[in-house]
Amino acid sequence: MSEESRTAVVIPAAGRGVRLGPGAPKALRALNGTPMLIHAVRAMAASRAVSLVVVVAPPQGAAEVKSLLADHALPDRTDFVVVPGGETRQESVKLGLDALPEGIGVVLVHDAARPLVPVDTVDGVIEAVREGAPAVVPALPLADTVKQVEPGEPGAPEPVLATPERARLRAVQTPQGFDRDTLVRAHATVTGDVTDDAGMVEQLGVQVVVVPGHEEAFKVTRPLDLVLAEAVLARRRANDGF
């Protein structure tokens, strides 16, 4: 593997996760007895192409996250670094990027709240970047019909403006993969409010491509998602025989 094709992952884990209710930051919530963040780190490190994982911790919680990583068995072949994050996800990703050493050519950005992404999905994203795509997102076709509406008061009826053609729509997941220079340039130049890193790259006028995502790469944001995640883990344990 050449130096320039080495891959690092940035996991912004500084958010509080208000939709899951009060308590610990979402990334530190236990899933089957192990913090969600540890599941997410292991999912990234499962890829043999990943040589470094940078976890961006809550601003005051870097020491706690460091000891958390030290307490759990992680693959020896992967390096792990913890850096304190910022006020927003965008700031936190940039702080993670700033911590990357020379020689990393591919950068993945992964949500700590997607703890169960399969290694094939991670590898598929990395491969697409290595083959020349500057920005790659895993995504799934939508199961539901989507309506564009005029937003109103919470709970009040909202007028439908349009029904986008579902075949053209995708639900985007992570890890999102980037040529390092492209992502660094996006974070240096795009200052508006964006929901994901690929959206920042789009604002540069750079082509983003989609590769197949996976149903198990869902985001744990509501209590019901925790139930689903526990069920996925139970099924994996049954299939793996441990």
Side-chain angles (χ1 to χ4, degrees):
M1 189 189 308
S2 75
E3 274 290 285
E4 280 312 303
S5 68
R6 284 179 63 219
T7 298
V9 183
V10 174
I11 303 182
R16 290 220 60 86
V18 289
R19 278 175 291 184
L20 275 178
K26 180 165 63 177
L28 304 185
R29 297 291 177 91
L31 180 55
N32 196 36
T34 301
M36 207 154 36
L37 174 62
I38 296 297
H39 287 282
V41 168
R42 284 177 176 159
M44 297 299 102
S47 169
R48 293 187 170 276
V50 171
S51 55
L52 170 67
V53 176
V54 177
V55 178
V56 188
Q60 309 304 319
E64 182 188 355
V65 170
K66 273 181 190 164
S67 64
L68 194 68
L69 292 183
D71 288 346
H72 291 84
L74 299 170
D76 289 338
R77 68 170 181 266
T78 311
D79 291 330
F80 300 93
V81 173
V82 178
V83 296
E87 288 301 308
T88 66
R89 182 185 185 281
Q90 209 168 330
E91 280 178 43
S92 292
V93 172
K94 184 169 189 317
L95 288 164
L97 282 175
D98 291 345
L100 296 180
E102 294 293 313
I104 297 289
V106 179
V107 181
L108 306 189
V109 182
H110 183 59
D111 295 331
R114 296 182 192 271
L116 304 177
V117 54
V119 68
D120 287 353
T121 304
V122 182
D123 286 339
V125 170
I126 294 169
E127 194 175 331
V129 179
R130 285 186 174 170
E131 288 177 356
V136 178
V137 295
L140 292 176
L142 295 178
D144 300 316
T145 296
V146 174
K147 301 287 184 188
Q148 183 184 349
V149 301
E150 186 63 56
E153 292 296 314
E158 296 171 323
V160 170
L161 301 179
T163 304
E165 189 184 339
R166 192 169 70 185
R168 288 177 168 268
L169 300 176
R170 297 290 181 270
V172 169
Q173 303 175 323
T174 72
Q176 299 186 352
F178 305 90
D179 163 73
R180 179 184 183 167
D181 292 343
T182 300
L183 186 58
V184 167
R185 186 157 59 92
H187 275 272
T189 53
V190 177
T191 54
D193 198 24
V194 289
T195 55
D196 70 348
D197 296 274
M200 298 175 73
V201 171
E202 284 172 52
Q203 289 191 35
L204 296 180
V206 172
Q207 175 77 71
V208 177
V209 299
V210 164
V211 296
H214 196 282
E215 60 185 6
E216 291 180 5
F218 63 90
K219 194 172 191 179
V220 178
T221 53
R222 303 158 301 175
L224 184 62
D225 300 324
L226 281 171
V227 176
L228 181 58
E230 295 277 7
V232 170
L233 283 172
R235 190 182 69 191
R236 286 183 183 179
R237 279 198 309 278
N239 289 344
D240 293 344
F242 63 85

